[in-house]
Amino acid sequence: MPNLVADDCARTQTNLQKSPSHSNTAANRPSPSGPVVDPISAFYIFAFVNVLAALYAPIQDCDEVFNYWEPTHYLNHKYGLQTWEYSPEYSIRSWLYIVIHAVVGKFGSLFSTKKSFEFYFIRVILALTCSFCESRLFATISKALNPRIANWFMLVMLFSPGMFHASAAYLPSSFSMYTTMLGMTSFMDWRGGSKTHIGIMWFGIGGVLGWPFSAALIGPFLVEELILASITRDVEIMRRVVDGVVRSGIVLALQVAVDTFFYHKLVIVPWRIVSYNIFSGSGRGPEIFGTEPVDFYIRNLLLNFNVWFILATSAGPLLLLQYIFRTESSTKFTLMRSAFFVSPFYMWLAIFSAQAHKEERFMYPAYPFLGLNAAIALHFILGYVGNADPKQLIGMIPVKLKLATVLASVILAISIGVLRTLGLVSAYRAPLQIYSALQQSDLANTGEIVCLGKEWYRFPSSYFLPNGVHAKFVQSDFDGLLPGEFNKAKVGFGLFAGTWLIPPGMNDQNFADPGKYFDISHCSYLVDSYFPSSNGSQLEPNYVLDRQDWEQLQCSRFLDTANTTLIGRLFWLPEVSWIPERYRRNWGNYCLMRRRKT
């Protein structure tokens, strides 16, 4: 069985004995094996797919809209919807993270007066940022491990539905995924000396500006650094650690300053997030928003990474088998370094599977590790399959048969990923499409109201409404706490008064506030969906069928999940006659309607 990084680690170990700085010379670099893609080309390839995601991927999580897009809209357009997390009473969201994106959005507004352009401009910048981080990590894997592993890593990242959504999502977990890739790059590449301080800085930035829990992913790398420092008697290790912590502390100090400005009180948001999620007590905390079984992430990752997830989970066992059965001599150093590369994914999956409250986005920071593990495992398998020794069973199998089996597996993984991605985009993109009717200059006027009932959680943000047009909520069967609005007070309250004035009706227990409901008789427009399999209810009548009061302005089809089989819900299926009717995808309508004049 081939060794993952035996050649590289053996060379590195020799260098470690020569220099505590972990330096490598050009002569010691592993020779390329397989086609090499240069980092610039890799960036363009990643960018092509990620920009497509920015333009077409539906928003999967209402938290992305109400906790990030709406506050950004408030900073740039002076109004927006506000969640309880942004109330100064709770203040568990950082305004620095919002300000960064608001600046990007404000720059984008220079090129178009349409707010929807600003929305997509921010998304494209996020996609390009992700592409830069992916290409950096790709180049590092190619140099530090093996170009073939880098190529497989690229394939995993390009054709996984999970990455398609995470790459351009405006979420702290996506931001932490970016910084995780940069942190991995720093810890994995020892060329030019150890970059412990840079790695700590990137993981620290991800934990401070993004999601505090993502900083845990640095654990295995720090353990590796400390073990190697003890072996080589590297006295500089503590200086590098302190350097990285200080850099992270500077970012934290900037965040505290910005949040103090907006909340008008001293706030350390990362600590408040950790405190809320771990120490909230009974009746509070993330569990009140729903719990999932322990296998939730396994099922989710199988959907979003299919074969690649299976490979990722097999990397550790394959590494152990490689160590036990390889014929050439091995060292504890080789096994240790390889284990540190694959262990963060297992650690993350175990920690979050143990939590009661689970969401798909919680896995985002570990996606790069999943891709790396899958690439390493496939590299192992290909090395074993490529064995032509007739004395071994694998060597007796015809080469063409082995090649066909491997290619079929890879093509299957890619095909499943593409069909899943196309299925999600075609099924759920309607909320990003129907609001274009409001962009007609003579249609919507300042002060008019767009109402949302049962479709409140699919609202794509105020960026899709014309200037001065507001979103409101009419009562539906949802009995939790809906977002309110940022206070628009100006005179005597200074800049952005809505960030520090305490809004009414907020709580951290998800109790409904009747003050959030708007009288439907005052709605200028209404967004609703209709599915033939749905009968409606008293609070959620089928408004789409009410042609007397509502005129349909724009409708897009939306997948009727209740009336579509599992295969149709999971994947894109062509609409052709040879597919049996019971397996076809069934559709409803997702509509923007205008109140008829009486």
Side-chain angles (χ1 to χ4, degrees), residues 218-379:
I218 198 176
F221 290 112
L222 283 181
V223 172
E224 179 197 24
E225 291 284 326
L226 293 174
I227 291 175
L228 293 178
S230 66
I231 294 174
T232 61
R233 298 181 181 178
D234 181 6
V235 296
E236 292 293 309
I237 181 65
M238 292 310 299
R239 181 193 63 79
R240 294 195 298 273
V241 170
V242 171
D243 186 358
V245 171
V246 168
R247 293 173 188 234
S248 302
I250 292 173
V251 176
L252 177 60
L254 176 62
Q255 181 189 54
V256 170
V258 171
D259 289 336
T260 299
F261 167 78
F262 281 103
Y263 284 120
H264 280 210
K265 66 177 184 179
L266 181 64
V267 175
I268 303 176
V269 168
W271 163 247
R272 295 183 75 92
I273 293 175
V274 171
S275 177
Y276 170 76
N277 282 277
I278 299 178
F279 307 115
S280 290
S282 178
R284 290 180 168 82
E287 288 80 10
I288 66 174
F289 297 102
T291 60
E292 299 290 344
V294 70
D295 65 340
F296 172 83
Y297 288 124
I298 294 175
R299 291 184 284 111
N300 182 268
L301 291 172
L302 278 171
L303 275 177
N304 287 321
F305 289 89
N306 56 79
V307 176
W308 307 123
F309 171 64
I310 298 173
L311 286 170
T313 57
S314 67
L318 287 173
L319 176 62
L320 181 60
L321 290 174
Q322 178 261 353
Y323 173 69
I324 294 173
F325 294 107
R326 55 183 291 249
T327 56
E328 62 269 28
S329 61
S330 180
T331 65
K332 291 182 179 179
F333 179 82
T334 300
L335 177 61
M336 180 189 71
R337 185 131 217 253
S338 304
F340 283 127
F341 287 159
V342 303
S343 61
F345 173 68
Y346 294 107
M347 179 190 73
W348 191 261
L349 181 60
I351 291 173
F352 281 89
S353 292
Q355 308 305 310
H357 180 65
K358 299 177 179 69
E359 296 188 41
E360 179 179 325
R361 58 193 166 101
F362 293 171
M363 283 290 113
Y364 287 4
Y367 280 179
F369 288 105
L370 188 157
L372 177 61
N373 280 26
I376 287 172
L378 188 55
H379 184 66

Side-chain angles (χ1 to χ4, degrees), residues 8 31 57 99 154 298 305 333 351 383 413 435 470 526 552-553 556 581:
D8 182 55
S31 59
V99 166
M154 174 183 283
I298 294 175
F305 289 89
F333 179 82
I351 291 173
Y435 293 90
H470 294 247
L526 178 67
Q552 295 181 9
L553 292 180
S556 293
E581 186 173 350

Side-chain angles (χ1 to χ4, degrees), residues 428-485:
Y428 305 114
R429 194 165 177 265
L432 295 174
Q433 297 174 314
I434 62 167
Y435 293 90
S436 60
L438 293 175
Q439 305 302 322
Q440 300 177 26
S441 58
D442 59 343
L443 189 60
N445 300 311
T446 299
E448 289 191 313
I449 303 298
V450 174
C451 289
L452 303 131
K454 66 176 182 285
E455 292 298 326
W456 69 270
Y457 63 97
R458 292 193 179 110
F459 177 54
S461 83
S462 299
Y463 279 101
F464 289 82
L465 305 180
N467 282 317
V469 175
H470 294 247
K472 301 280 188 180
F473 303 108
V474 298
Q475 190 172 7
S476 66
D477 289 334
F478 175 70
D479 60 356
L481 180 65
L482 290 165
E485 294 185 68

Side-chain angles (χ1 to χ4, degrees), residues 49-111:
V49 174
N50 291 342
V51 169
L52 285 179
L55 297 177
Y56 294 102
I59 297 175
Q60 289 192 305
D61 194 326
C62 64
D63 272 359
E64 180 177 352
V65 171
F66 298 122
N67 275 327
Y68 305 104
W69 285 111
E70 285 298 312
T72 306
H73 186 275
Y74 169 72
L75 292 187
N76 283 348
H77 299 280
K78 305 300 184 292
Y79 70 95
L81 298 172
Q82 181 183 25
T83 63
W84 67 269
E85 290 98 324
Y86 283 92
S87 170
E89 290 181 282
Y90 307 106
S91 53
I92 63 170
R93 295 287 179 256
S94 175
W95 279 103
L96 178 56
Y97 179 66
I98 302 300
V99 166
I100 293 171
H101 294 79
V103 170
V104 173
K106 181 61 72 173
F107 180 74
S109 67
L110 299 176
F111 303 99

Side-chain angles (χ1 to χ4, degrees), residues 144-161:
L145 298 181
N146 189 297
R148 287 179 180 173
I149 296 176
N151 291 342
W152 291 122
F153 171 80
M154 174 183 283
L155 207 62
V156 175
M157 303 298 270
L158 288 175
F159 292 103
S160 298

